[in-house]
Amino acid sequence: MDRITRRQFIKTGTALGIGMELGTTLSAKENIESRPNILWICPDQQRWDTIRALGNKHIHTPNLDRLVGEGVSFDYAHVTAQLCTPSRSGFLTGMYPSSVKGCKNGASHWPEVAPLVPKLLKDEGYLCGLSGKLHLSTAMAHNPEKRPQDDGYSEFHYSHAPHQGGDKNDYLVWLWKQGYKYKDLRGLPGAEHARCHQTTWCSDRAIDFMKNNKGRPWLFSVNMFDPHGPFNPPADYVKRFDLNKLPGPLFRESDLTQQEMLKDVFFQSRPKKTSGNGGKLRQAKYWAQIELIDENIGRMLKALEDTAQLDNTLIIFTSDHGDSCGDHGLNAKGCRFYEGLVRVPLIFWWPGKFKKGLRSKALVESTDIAPTLMELTGNSVPKYMQGKSLLPILTGKTDPHKHRKFVRCEFYDAAKPRSSNAKSTWGTMLRTEDYKLCVYHGHEHGELYDMKNDPYEFTNLWDNPKYEETRLTLLKQSFEETMKALENQMPILSDTPTGEDVPVDFKGLKKLFDDTVIAMDTGPKRIGRY
């Protein structure tokens, strides 16, 4: 059967087209037993600089350090959105959130524009399971969230956040059986708190799954809620950190001026200078949660070893987005594109199959995970996927420090406005090796950073006359790449200029960019805050 083009697929918007396209890969089922198990560990809101082996000398992560030392890690892995649902819609499909109309936190349902990777692998013989959150639709208005028509998961242990959901939260039901309510955890001794923590519960479900399904290829998604707030690690874990020795947030007084210019651009917190050890205490709680995650990774590794599955299991470690952690005067997340928000860990571990101890400096996107998994499991990469397989880097067949010329990140009406009269927020980032351009659609101000000479993003060059040509060049590139991502919706504007009519000046092109993005279809209606 002839392959359909990506434009044809998106135009039909049906899973049927994808199934037809993948029909040519059925021969891969013949080797089903030889394909690797996949343990996909995805904490919520873990930023890139949180692993000791990758440069953080304040945190202790021996098991993640092992994955780094024996596998391939990517120092410049970027998400395609800074909030949960749009980011997950991207890495679970290999497409941009705008392309699958999965842009919003709080959406009523999954739009069914593209299938998830677990569904594709299920169709090729994999048994798939999940513990924790999926979050492709609202987990606030619906309890539990509405799952896609077929997400591929035959085993689904649901727990969006450890503190919400009542008897629809499998973790809370389990916790009640242990004799505790969620609020009781803070008063428990460290070891008992750790045993009863949602991170441990998610890992326990993964361990049970591994033990029960040895002998056939499986994929298990471990989607714990930490290190997302409300920052409830066992107290003993927080005490491991000497606040006086922690670095604290990245901050200069000029950050407050910068954030004032962007005050109408959505963010979950108001900018402020952290006083005393406040920022360091939050940092300690955040890192303490990651140390608990690391301990549970060690438990999962041991379970794989005890069941003789370690040698044939691929482990992926990443996150859906980061956390500002006080950097630039901001906490949590929203429409900014600082490194702490858009860069995440990305580790692939499969000893004997991948390069050992390789740290890639290449620019990569979370959309690259899906096509990589398709190739690793002996399947063709669907043409509609916008990600680019990392397999050549993992296996040492190409320059490990070159992959993409740029990466993109989108914030397209991703969060509910703060008030009923506030406007939705729209933003697009394009980052090359040298520069990062952040366009806030409908707003005069933006951001431009020299990432070589200003890696912590303190000096905004947006209004610097010396960088006008650079800003225009990057704006053109960002506009063109965004239009490619939105090709299934074109024409968005009834009077969209084409060819020589497209503005070539900065002001005219930015207005066209703004008008087009703000008029796009971001997917199902938002009915909840998250």
Side-chain angles (χ1 to χ4, degrees):
M1 182 172 291
D2 293 336
R3 290 181 178 273
I4 60 174
T5 66
R6 184 159 67 93
R7 181 182 292 273
Q8 289 171 328
F9 160 75
I10 298 176
K11 185 175 181 180
T12 60
T14 64
L16 175 61
I18 297 172
M20 293 169 61
E21 181 175 353
L22 291 180
T24 59
T25 68
L26 293 179
S27 60
K29 288 185 177 179
E30 299 172 4
N31 299 315
I32 189 70
E33 294 184 359
S34 65
R35 289 189 279 178
N37 304 317
I38 302 167
L39 180 61
W40 190 345
I41 306 168
C42 185
D44 190 349
Q45 207 156 306
Q46 182 169 344
R47 52 188 278 163
W48 68 280
D49 53 355
T50 50
I51 298 173
R52 190 176 184 88
L54 297 180
N56 186 331
K57 300 305 180 185
H58 302 277
I59 196 169
H60 292 84
T61 52
N63 297 294
L64 283 167
D65 294 350
R66 175 185 174 182
L67 299 186
V68 171
E70 297 176 355
V72 180
S73 56
F74 294 88
D75 285 358
Y76 293 92
H78 292 73
V79 296
T80 52
Q82 313 94 306
L83 264 63
C84 300
T85 296
S87 179
R88 291 163 188 264
S89 72
F91 67 66
L92 283 168
T93 62
M95 300 176 71
Y96 290 112
S98 58
S99 299
V100 295
K101 299 182 181 179
C103 300
K104 300 187 187 98
N105 260 22
S108 61
H109 61 277
W110 174 245
E112 304 292 346
V113 172
L116 310 186
V117 169
K119 196 276 188 213
L120 298 179
L121 293 183
K122 183 203 76 170
D123 290 347
E124 295 300 320
Y126 271 75
L127 182 68
C128 300
L130 176 147
S131 60
K133 62 183 292 184
L134 182 59
H135 206 183
L136 292 177
S137 65
T138 179
M140 179 182 180
H142 292 152
N143 182 28
E145 68 176 272
K146 287 186 177 180
R147 293 167 60 182
Q149 292 176 7
D150 185 354
D151 53 31
Y153 294 114
S154 59
E155 193 166 312
F156 197 88
H157 303 282
Y158 179 73
S159 176
H160 176 83
H163 53 282
Q164 59 109 154
D167 61 2
K168 301 298 191 296
N169 184 327
D170 293 338
Y171 162 70
L172 285 180
V173 172
W174 173 87
L175 188 63
W176 298 336
K177 292 179 180 179
Q178 308 305 304
Y180 301 119
K181 296 180 180 180
Y182 178 73
K183 65 180 181 179
D184 298 333
L185 294 183
R186 290 186 185 274
L188 295 179
E192 181 67 358
H193 188 167
R195 182 187 76 83
C196 294
H197 200 282
Q198 194 232 29
T199 292
T200 305
W201 177 85
C202 286
S203 303
D204 286 342
R205 304 291 73 74
I207 290 169
D208 292 343
F209 185 90
M210 298 171 194
K211 293 178 178 179
N212 294 335
N213 293 291
K214 181 181 177 181
R216 61 174 298 180
W218 51 259
L219 176 149
F220 197 89
S221 300
V222 190
N223 295 351
M224 59 276 289
F225 192 69
D226 278 6
H228 193 292
F231 304 105
N232 185 25
D236 292 355
Y237 286 62
V238 181
K239 293 176 182 178
R240 296 173 181 176
F241 296 93
D242 182 345
L243 298 187
N244 293 322
K245 294 181 179 179
L246 298 187
L250 297 168
F251 179 80
R252 292 179 183 175
E253 292 291 340
S254 58
D255 283 321
L256 297 180
T257 301
Q258 171 68 16
Q259 298 311 320
E260 178 64 21
M261 293 171 60
L262 300 174
K263 64 182 180 181
D264 293 327
V265 178
F266 174 85
F267 209 84
Q268 289 181 341
S269 64
R270 299 291 186 181
K272 66 177 181 178
K273 178 180 180 180
T274 304
S275 58
N277 276 336
K280 293 183 177 183
L281 178 58
R282 191 181 191 278
Q283 195 171 60
K285 291 180 177 180
Y286 184 69
W287 289 349
Q289 292 179 123
I290 293 168
E291 290 199 357
L292 180 59
I293 291 170
D294 182 82
E295 289 182 9
N296 278 282
I297 291 173
R299 295 178 59 241
M300 288 184 277
L301 284 168
K302 186 177 186 305
L304 288 170
E305 186 174 13
D306 290 346
T307 56
Q309 297 181 86
L310 192 63
D311 292 341
N312 194 42
T313 298
L314 159 68
I315 297 177
I316 304 171
F317 182 86
T318 190
S319 185
D320 56 353
H321 52 76
D323 186 299
S324 289
C325 291
D327 289 355
H328 306 287
L330 300 168
N331 278 311
K333 54 191 181 286
C335 191
R336 302 291 190 280
F337 299 91
Y338 299 121
E339 295 290 87
L341 279 175
V342 301
R343 272 175 71 187
V344 293
L346 179 59
I347 307 168
F348 282 80
W349 181 91
W350 193 12
K353 302 296 193 298
F354 297 161
K355 299 292 289 183
K356 181 178 180 180
L358 172 62
R359 285 185 62 178
S360 170
K361 303 297 183 183
L363 290 175
V364 304
E365 283 183 353
S366 54
T367 55
D368 299 334
I369 296 173
T372 304
L373 286 179
M374 295 305 292
E375 286 199 336
L376 281 169
T377 53
N379 297 294
S380 299
V381 177
K383 283 190 174 182
Y384 64 82
M385 283 189 178
Q386 294 155 320
K388 182 181 179 183
S389 175
L390 296 165
L391 189 59
I393 292 179
L394 299 177
T395 55
K397 294 181 180 179
T398 190
D399 184 344
H401 307 302
K402 299 292 181 183
H403 183 65
R404 287 177 173 271
K405 293 182 179 179
F406 62 87
V407 290
R408 294 182 65 252
C409 187
E410 306 173 344
F411 192 103
Y412 293 161
D413 192 21
K416 183 179 181 180
R418 293 191 188 96
S419 61
S420 59
N421 61 349
K423 294 181 179 179
S424 297
T425 293
W426 312 74
T428 306
M429 179 203 83
L430 184 134
R431 191 237 161 116
T432 66
E433 290 185 2
D434 295 324
Y435 293 99
K436 178 188 289 186
L437 182 77
C438 309
V439 178
Y440 300 106
H441 303 290
H443 296 272
E444 177 184 358
H445 298 291
E447 293 175 290
L448 172 63
Y449 295 103
D450 180 342
M451 300 306 294
K452 294 287 189 182
N453 297 305
D454 181 27
Y456 299 123
E457 302 164 291
F458 284 120
T459 304
N460 184 5
L461 304 172
W462 179 271
D463 291 320
N464 190 321
K466 294 181 180 180
Y467 291 86
E468 284 184 357
E469 184 175 346
T470 299
R471 186 180 67 165
L472 178 58
T473 299
L474 292 170
L475 184 72
K476 289 178 179 177
Q477 186 176 11
S478 186
F479 173 75
E480 290 170 359
E481 296 303 328
T482 301
M483 295 308 102
K484 291 178 184 178
L486 295 175
E487 68 177 353
N488 61 314
Q489 299 190 34
M490 293 300 181
I492 293 175
L493 302 176
S494 59
D495 56 348
T496 300
T498 59
E500 295 180 356
D501 294 330
V502 175
V504 295
D505 65 295
F506 182 84
K507 186 176 181 179
L509 183 58
K510 183 176 184 301
K511 185 179 186 305
L512 175 60
F513 198 176
D514 292 352
D515 291 347
T516 304
V517 166
I518 292 173
M520 66 175 282
D521 180 358
T522 56
K525 180 181 178 181
R526 177 184 291 111
I527 61 173
R529 184 167 52 85
Y530 57 86

